[in-house]
Amino acid sequence: MAGLKIRLLLIVSIFLSVVNAGKTVFIDPHDPWQVFEGWGTSLCWWANAFGGFPDVVRNQAADLVFDFNKGLGLNVIRYNIGGGDNPSHHHMRIGGDVPGFRPCNNCDYNWTSDANQRWILFAAKDRGADVFEAFSNSPPYWMTYSNCSSGGRNSTNNLNPSYYDAYADYLTEVVKWYKEQEITFRTLEPFNEPTTGLWHELGLLNTTTVSFADEGLFEGEIATISAIDTFDAFNKNVKLYVSQYNTHAYSGIQRSLLHLIAKQNGKRLWMSEWGSWSSKNMSASIKLSEEILKDMRKLKPVAWVYWQIIEHAPNGNDGNDYGLIGADFSNSTIPLDIRLSFYGFAQYTKFIRPGYQIISSNDDDTLAAQDASNKTLVLVCTNKNNAPDTWSINVSKFNISSFNVYRTSNDNETLKLLPNTWSITNGILIYESPANSITTLVFNVTQ
């Protein structure tokens, strides 16, 4: 029996040593990747609701989303140019019926329209947002075959060709008007006819350029169109009018190929939309972090945009919406529900700031970045396992004077600044990462 007990103890100790073997992470500042220009969000559909709420409520929301000190500090804004739906229709989701600026073919532009979303747009600018893109989900309903701005039939083109020029004029007139209001959209994502010559006529060529194509997946499947398909379909002359490639990240694996296509064509690349279900535990945060890691490390976009930061969740339906913050769009007195995934996102947005250089790390669960002065090194490390893990982080290429550690986890930690009980020995930091946690390490670097 004694021999059996010894063998069992030996097996257990070997097993535990394997489980807790951890990982070794090497950070290389001499292998620079993309220079990052920011984290962002789309304003539809939540801004159409929140912009009309009382000041105290809409200011709280704007602070949480855009203010660096009070919230996420998002600086990349995608503003939705509403098409305006047929007034005889009442089937849009709450917040989704974004007003248009020209309600009929013979109507003048109504620049008082879309006041709610516009309030949030300017609130974002006031809090530091500095990269603006305009995009359209649909032409005005009266330009469509379906006579409705919620989509066409059988996935066919819903824009009547006789309105191609009118639609291009509609989008550019809106962008021009906002420029006069001191909001300059750097890019316009029109979905259709992105190479219209109206840019020259309206004097927007030097301030606003075209982006496309906001496809939902990287590579195609049977009977689907993908980002790669769309980018490949346009000839060289068309691509001359385009400054930026946009892609959503909901499906596909060809991130590196899409990065190469953008690089070869000399285009700025954005991950312009991704979102996923919320949850009351760390599962949504881990999924969000894994998506950011895959995109930032393989796709290498210069901006990463979450779909809808605030979602309509009237019954606290955490888990049935994409929001990092839950709210009741029909009742401004219901308190905001700040989800754990809000803090998971903040582990990135608060520390990897616009202008930071993403640099090489040899671990898929780590994102590394350095500020332009090379005085700050940031590592975001994700333990997606259901057990603690030991990380051996090699920062020997840096002359580090001090560092802070922030963590979000299931243990009531929400972007918590931890007591610094770790040290760096011979360039190596040994860090014990709790199960299902996201940790951000911020190092002060001396030259």
Side-chain angles (χ1 to χ4, degrees), residues 396-431:
S396 60
K397 298 294 184 179
F398 304 85
N399 186 16
I400 293 170
S401 58
S402 62
F403 63 96
N404 289 317
V405 182
Y406 304 82
R407 192 164 65 206
T408 295
S409 73
N410 281 324
D411 297 327
N412 295 316
E413 295 177 325
T414 51
L415 204 69
K416 182 180 180 181
L417 174 61
L418 303 177
N420 196 334
T421 59
W422 302 276
S423 61
I424 300 174
T425 303
N426 296 325
I428 305 295
L429 171 65
I430 304 298
Y431 171 67

Side-chain angles (χ1 to χ4, degrees), residues 64 72 276-282 284-285 288 306 308-328 335-346 408 413-414:
L64 286 170
L72 295 172
S276 187
W277 298 115
S278 60
S279 67
K280 294 185 180 299
N281 55 35
M282 278 295 292
S285 293
L288 170 62
Y306 193 81
Q308 182 152 225
I309 294 292
I310 305 179
E311 275 268 32
H312 179 53
N315 301 309
N317 56 325
D318 194 4
N320 295 314
D321 61 80
Y322 280 10
L324 307 185
I325 302 172
D328 189 334
L336 298 182
D337 177 20
I338 303 176
R339 278 81 182 268
L340 197 54
S341 49
F342 173 91
Y343 298 100
F345 195 25
T408 295
E413 295 177 325
T414 51

Side-chain angles (χ1 to χ4, degrees), residues 31-38 218 245 247 249 253-263 267-272 291-304 356-361 364 367-368:
D31 183 10
W33 296 352
Q34 70 271 37
V35 175
F36 194 55
E37 64 181 18
F218 298 125
Y245 287 175
T247 183
I253 61 174
Q254 295 287 352
R255 289 173 175 81
S256 296
L257 177 57
L258 194 51
H259 165 73
L260 181 61
I261 291 172
K263 184 176 181 180
K267 308 301 181 184
R268 183 192 308 116
L269 179 62
W270 274 19
M271 197 303 292
S272 57
E291 184 64 40
I292 291 173
L293 287 165
K294 287 187 294 185
D295 293 342
M296 294 294 288
R297 293 177 56 83
K298 303 298 182 183
L299 183 66
K300 295 183 173 65
V302 298
W304 198 95
Y356 276 42
Q357 174 88 61
I358 308 300
I359 59 176
S360 172
S361 56
D364 287 341
L367 186 65

Side-chain angles (χ1 to χ4, degrees), residues 84-101:
D85 202 12
N86 191 323
S88 67
H89 295 175
H90 301 283
H91 56 82
M92 294 283 192
R93 55 171 292 174
I94 185 169
D97 190 5
V98 178
F101 292 93

Side-chain angles (χ1 to χ4, degrees), residues 18-19 79 82 91 97 117 145 175 199 222 224 264 269 285 303 307 322 325 340 362 393:
V18 171
V19 170
Y79 168 81
H91 56 82
D97 190 5
Q117 186 182 197
Y145 281 121
V175 170
W199 297 105
I222 297 175
T224 63
Q264 289 175 338
L269 179 62
S285 293
W307 161 230
Y322 280 10
I325 302 172
L340 197 54
N362 66 342
I393 303 173

Side-chain angles (χ1 to χ4, degrees), residues 72-345:
L72 295 172
L74 305 187
N75 72 299
V76 176
I77 309 300
R78 301 193 77 220
Y79 168 81
N80 178 238
I81 299 179
D85 202 12
N86 191 323
S88 67
H89 295 175
H90 301 283
H91 56 82
M92 294 283 192
R93 55 171 292 174
I94 185 169
D97 190 5
V98 178
F101 292 93
R102 195 175 171 207
C104 71
N105 188 20
N106 297 319
C107 295
D108 293 330
Y109 283 89
N110 175 13
W111 299 119
T112 66
S113 188
D114 198 24
N116 292 355
Q117 186 182 197
R118 184 164 57 253
W119 190 94
I120 296 293
L121 175 65
F122 279 93
K125 182 182 179 183
D126 290 343
R127 287 160 175 80
D130 56 0
V131 181
F132 300 94
E133 176 170 75
F135 75 104
S136 171
N137 284 330
S138 171
Y141 77 92
W142 47 268
M143 295 184 186
T144 67
Y145 281 121
S146 66
N147 204 33
C148 177
S149 62
S150 66
R153 300 181 178 91
N154 302 319
S155 300
T156 57
N157 177 24
N158 196 33
L159 176 60
N160 189 321
S162 64
Y163 287 110
Y164 277 5
D165 288 345
Y167 177 52
D169 184 66
Y170 174 74
L171 295 179
T172 51
E173 283 290 348
V174 174
V175 170
K176 179 185 177 184
W177 182 81
Y178 268 108
K179 181 183 177 184
E180 295 167 353
Q181 312 309 310
E182 299 185 349
I183 290 283
T184 299
F185 293 108
R186 189 176 70 180
T187 48
L188 169 62
E189 163 51 283
F191 290 108
N192 291 288
E193 300 293 327
T195 59
T196 174
L198 290 175
W199 297 105
H200 298 273
E201 294 174 28
L202 291 175
L204 295 171
L205 184 63
N206 293 326
T207 57
T208 304
T209 53
V210 178
S211 58
F212 74 94
D214 276 326
E215 298 286 4
L217 61 161
F218 298 125
E219 70 273 5
E221 301 169 355
I222 297 175
T224 63
I225 301 296
S226 71
I228 292 174
D229 296 328
T230 301
F231 297 152
D232 286 344
F234 285 88
N235 62 41
K236 291 182 178 179
N237 290 331
V238 171
K239 290 176 181 177
L240 290 175
Y241 290 91
V242 177
S243 66
Q244 177 175 303
Y245 287 175
N246 286 356
T247 183
H248 300 176
Y250 290 110
S251 180
I253 61 174
Q254 295 287 352
R255 289 173 175 81
S256 296
L257 177 57
L258 194 51
H259 165 73
L260 181 61
I261 291 172
K263 184 176 181 180
Q264 289 175 338
N265 285 275
K267 308 301 181 184
R268 183 192 308 116
L269 179 62
W270 274 19
M271 197 303 292
S272 57
E273 182 183 315
W274 184 87
S276 187
W277 298 115
S278 60
S279 67
K280 294 185 180 299
N281 55 35
M282 278 295 292
S283 60
S285 293
I286 296 299
K287 186 172 184 179
L288 170 62
S289 185
E290 286 186 296
E291 184 64 40
I292 291 173
L293 287 165
K294 287 187 294 185
D295 293 342
M296 294 294 288
R297 293 177 56 83
K298 303 298 182 183
L299 183 66
K300 295 183 173 65
V302 298
W304 198 95
V305 181
Y306 193 81
W307 161 230
Q308 182 152 225
I309 294 292
I310 305 179
E311 275 268 32
H312 179 53
N315 301 309
N317 56 325
D318 194 4
N320 295 314
D321 61 80
Y322 280 10
L324 307 185
I325 302 172
D328 189 334
F329 288 1
S330 62
N331 187 346
S332 63
T333 67
I334 302 298
L336 298 182
D337 177 20
I338 303 176
R339 278 81 182 268
L340 197 54
S341 49
F342 173 91
Y343 298 100
F345 195 25

